[in-house]
Amino acid sequence: MTAKNSATNDPKIRDPKIIVALDYADEKSAWELVKKLDPALCRLKVGKELFTATGPQFVEKLAKLEYGVFLDLKFHDIPNTVAKACSAATNLGVWMLNVHASGGLEMMQAAKQAVEANANSPLLIAVTVLTSMNEAAFKKIGIKGTLDNHVVRLAKLTRDAGLDGVVCSAAEAPKLRKKLGPDFCLVTPGIRPTSSSLDDQKRVATPKAALIMGSSYLVIGRPITKASDPLAALQAIHDECMA
Ligand code: C5P
């Protein structure tokens, strides 16, 4: 990662791989967790629920801390609208944001141009096919070919548009790493430490396995947010990654 993308002044010293998903319905609950965590060990992800409940001011407040915020709003609209939304998100000071790759090349290029207009441009990544979709659900939306091939096709389109990477499952990471090269950012949810419950995740990988499979960053929610001691859980996962 280049300096502009780091949440800290020296990315070589601190580039935490864990992104904690702040899946909360209100600012107070999210803030209580944030106060317990450590920016040396993780970044933070704000998704649609928390953003819709609390608004951009809370994102701005989080972005002023040392963590680095991934604003996970998955923009998907006409190029001009997505570009304007990305520009507004960039102005909040976030570290990473995302769009849907199925919005197409022109939409992604417009998004990239919009974030690059800011001196502190965030990483811009894309969602290929939602990992909640299986082959049967994928067939129903009428796209020809296999889901796996479509993921690779959209990841290549993402790279061609100049974006920094994609969201992908750990299972998809080895193929995408091979096809898209060492610098393409792969952000992976569905992570469960060895001792953790699966919750509603079906295809999971341990943090260490996901990194070995080629993931660049790991999105982790409940194993940390629901832990009795979230900082200890985060530290343990961090240590598991480093082992
Ligand atoms: O609690 P858990 O670790 O399952 O949280 C995972 C986070 O990653 C949630 O914010 C979820 O919305 C997000 N996510 C996911 N699967 C995807 C994309 C995002 O679990 N394919």
Side-chain angles (χ1 to χ4, degrees):
M1 295 296 109
T2 56
K4 73 181 173 111
N5 297 321
S6 173
T8 69
N9 290 333
D10 191 344
K12 290 197 189 77
I13 295 173
R14 275 203 316 202
D15 182 19
K17 304 298 174 201
I18 300 167
I19 304 172
V20 178
L22 298 179
D23 292 328
Y24 293 104
D26 62 90
E27 174 168 343
K28 187 169 170 281
S29 313
W31 190 246
E32 267 166 25
L33 180 82
V34 171
K35 281 192 297 185
K36 291 180 188 151
L37 300 176
D38 178 351
L41 301 177
C42 68
R43 261 104 181 197
L44 306 172
K45 180 172 89 71
V46 175
K48 287 188 170 92
E49 182 190 17
L50 186 60
F51 183 81
T52 306
T54 63
Q57 291 78 13
F58 185 55
V59 174
E60 218 168 2
K61 181 170 157 185
L62 290 176
K64 288 200 173 98
L65 307 176
E66 284 183 15
Y67 287 96
V69 175
F70 170 19
L71 187 59
D72 180 20
L73 297 182
K74 302 184 181 72
F75 294 130
H76 188 178
D77 210 312
I78 59 170
N80 182 58
T81 302
V82 168
K84 294 270 165 57
C86 287
S87 181
T90 299
N91 290 338
L92 298 177
V94 300
W95 161 72
M96 175 183 277
L97 71 152
N98 60 1
V99 298
H100 267 284
S102 49
L105 186 70
E106 200 195 325
M107 187 205 81
M108 288 194 280
Q109 284 171 332
K112 181 68 183 170
Q113 223 178 347
V115 301
E116 277 185 342
N118 189 307
N120 263 329
S121 64
L123 288 168
L124 180 61
I125 64 168
V127 174
T128 56
V129 178
L130 291 168
T131 52
S132 52
M133 277 207 155
N134 59 16
E135 199 72 49
F138 179 71
K139 286 273 170 303
K140 280 191 189 154
I141 57 172
I143 297 169
K144 293 216 165 59
T146 66
L147 190 157
D148 275 3
N149 287 343
H150 196 58
V151 166
V152 173
R153 190 159 54 233
L154 286 177
K156 285 183 174 165
L157 193 69
T158 301
R159 180 199 53 196
D160 294 348
L163 271 60
D164 300 290
V166 292
V167 180
C168 71
S169 68
E172 291 162 349
K175 195 193 250 186
L176 294 178
R177 176 62 63 224
K178 194 162 162 227
K179 291 194 182 287
L180 294 150
D183 296 331
F184 202 62
C185 186
L186 301 179
V187 177
T188 303
I191 301 296
R192 287 295 175 270
T194 337
S195 57
S196 191
S197 127
L198 293 188
D199 302 309
D200 54 355
Q201 296 282 11
K202 294 191 177 60
R203 288 176 294 137
V204 301
T206 66
K208 179 90 178 172
L211 291 174
I212 291 171
M213 286 195 270
S215 299
S216 319
Y217 294 103
L218 313 173
V219 175
I220 308 178
R222 286 160 291 181
I224 293 169
T225 60
K226 302 279 185 223
S228 53
D229 183 344
L231 181 59
L234 171 62
Q235 184 73 59
I237 295 170
H238 181 266
D239 295 347
E240 190 177 324
C241 292
M242 295 297 153

